[in-house]
């Protein structure tokens, strides 16, 4: 059973880069048929999809964040990362990584989430 | 402002049934599978439904869902106090090339 765990700093300085890693166990990020996603949720608000990658394809990004986001894979360590540049207080949120299946053939699996606060 | 529309709140008494709607468009629910999530405040979203009406193992049969055209619905029968949570719908949007979510419905069990 695949499990995902987010890791990274809980506090980021405004204008700096937010960097998070999603460590995957029980499944390979190199396997075909899966999409590896980042999603965030500001306190008291709804869910916002940030972007995704899949093995052998180009990443997709939320158009509202595209200029500041990079999602990349580290296949040797079976993990993938999120980098969000030039952060502001509006980027303060709980960040989740999640695996979705191509063709909706399985239920998505989410990590437990990690709170990132942007503050000086 | 969310791409998909849900009522902000819903309520029911224990034992009753409640339906939560999600209105999307031709490029998201109309073209792709709908998903439903339950989120108890302070915890990660839990998948209730995928592929429109498929329950992951462990989700009680009290939860059911359907899709018609560009809308989806989640039905909870036999309400329990532990069903108090926020419920979100989701779908892939072919035009935006993005996952889109409803704004969420806060369910209160009176």
């Amino acid at each position: 059973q695949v499990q995902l765990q987010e890791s990274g700093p809980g506090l980021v300085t405004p204008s700096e880069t937010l960097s998070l890693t999603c460590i995957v166990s029980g499944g390979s990020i190199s396997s075909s048929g899966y999409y590896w996603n980042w999603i965030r949720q500001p306190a008291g608000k709804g869910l916002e999809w940030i972007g995704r990658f899949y093995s052998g394809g180009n990443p997709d990004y939320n158009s509202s964040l595209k200029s500041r986001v990079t999602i990349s894979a580290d296949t040797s360590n079976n993990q993938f990362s999120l980098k969000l540049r030039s952060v502001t207080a509006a980027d303060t949120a709980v960040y989740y990584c999640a695996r979705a299946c191509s063709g909706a053939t399985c239920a998505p699996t989410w990590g437990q989430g990690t709170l990132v606060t942007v503050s000086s | 402002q969310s791409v998909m529309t849900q009522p902000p709140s819903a309520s029911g008494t224990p034992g009753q049934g409640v339906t939560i709607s999600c209105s999307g468009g031709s490029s998201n629910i109309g073209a792709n599978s709908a998903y439903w999530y339950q989120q108890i405040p302070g915890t990660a979203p839990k998948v209730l439904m995928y592929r429109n009406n498929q329950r992951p193992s462990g989700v009680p049969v009290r939860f059911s869902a359907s899709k018609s055209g560009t809308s989806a619905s989640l039905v909870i029968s036999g309400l329990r106090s532990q069903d108090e949570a926020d419920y979100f719908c989701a779908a892939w949007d072919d035009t935006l090339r993005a996952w889109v979510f409803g704004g969420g419905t806060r369910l209160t069990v009176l």
Side-chain angles (χ1 to χ4, degrees), chain B residues 7-38:
Chain B
S9 63
S11 63
T13 56
Q16 270 189 335
V18 66
T19 299
I20 298 173
S21 62
C22 175
S23 177
S26 58
S27 59
N28 42 69
I29 294 179
N32 299 298
S33 293
Y35 295 73
W36 287 94
Y37 291 90
Q38 177 193 60

Side-chain angles (χ1 to χ4, degrees), chain A residues 4-5 15 18 25 43 45 48 57-58 66 75 78 80 88 90:
Chain A
L4 294 84
Q5 176 69 56
S15 81
L18 179 159
S25 59
K45 296 188 178 180
E48 179 181 35
N58 294 319
K66 188 172 185 176
T75 54
N78 207 40
F80 62 103
T88 69

Side-chain angles (χ1 to χ4, degrees), chain B residues 62-93:
Chain B
R62 302 186 296 106
F63 293 89
S64 62
S66 63
K67 185 181 96 166
S68 178
T70 58
S71 295
S73 296
L74 176 72
V75 177
I76 309 171
S77 58
L79 272 176
R80 300 183 179 182
S81 58
Q82 58 260 44
D83 296 334
E84 274 208 348
D86 295 320
Y87 292 84
F88 295 92
C89 58
W92 176 259
D93 190 294

Side-chain angles (χ1 to χ4, degrees), chain A residues 15-74:
Chain A
S15 81
E16 297 296 311
T17 296
L18 179 159
S19 295
L20 294 175
T21 297
C22 182
I23 301 165
V24 179
S25 59
S28 172
I29 66 170
S30 299
S31 299
S32 61
Y34 299 104
Y35 297 94
W36 305 92
N37 300 265
W38 286 100
I39 300 137
R40 69 181 183 180
Q41 185 176 34
K45 296 188 178 180
L47 298 162
E48 179 181 35
W49 180 77
I50 300 170
R52 71 176 187 180
F53 86 92
Y54 52 100
S55 182
N58 294 319
D60 293 305
Y61 299 121
N62 185 321
S63 59
S64 68
L65 299 169
K66 188 172 185 176
S67 63
R68 299 193 291 132
V69 173
T70 301
I71 295 174
S72 59
D74 175 1

Side-chain angles (χ1 to χ4, degrees), chain A residues 37 41 46-47 49 52 60 96 103-108 110-112, chain B residues 33 35 37 39 43-45 47 50-51 56 88 92 97-99 101:
Chain A
N37 300 265
Q41 185 176 34
L47 298 162
W49 180 77
R52 71 176 187 180
D60 293 305
Y96 297 98
T105 53
C106 71
W110 289 51
Q112 65 184 30
Chain B
S33 293
Y35 295 73
Y37 291 90
Q39 186 177 33
T43 68
V47 181
Y50 68 101
R51 206 173 191 179
F88 295 92
W92 176 259
R97 282 200 63 77
W99 279 97
F101 295 91

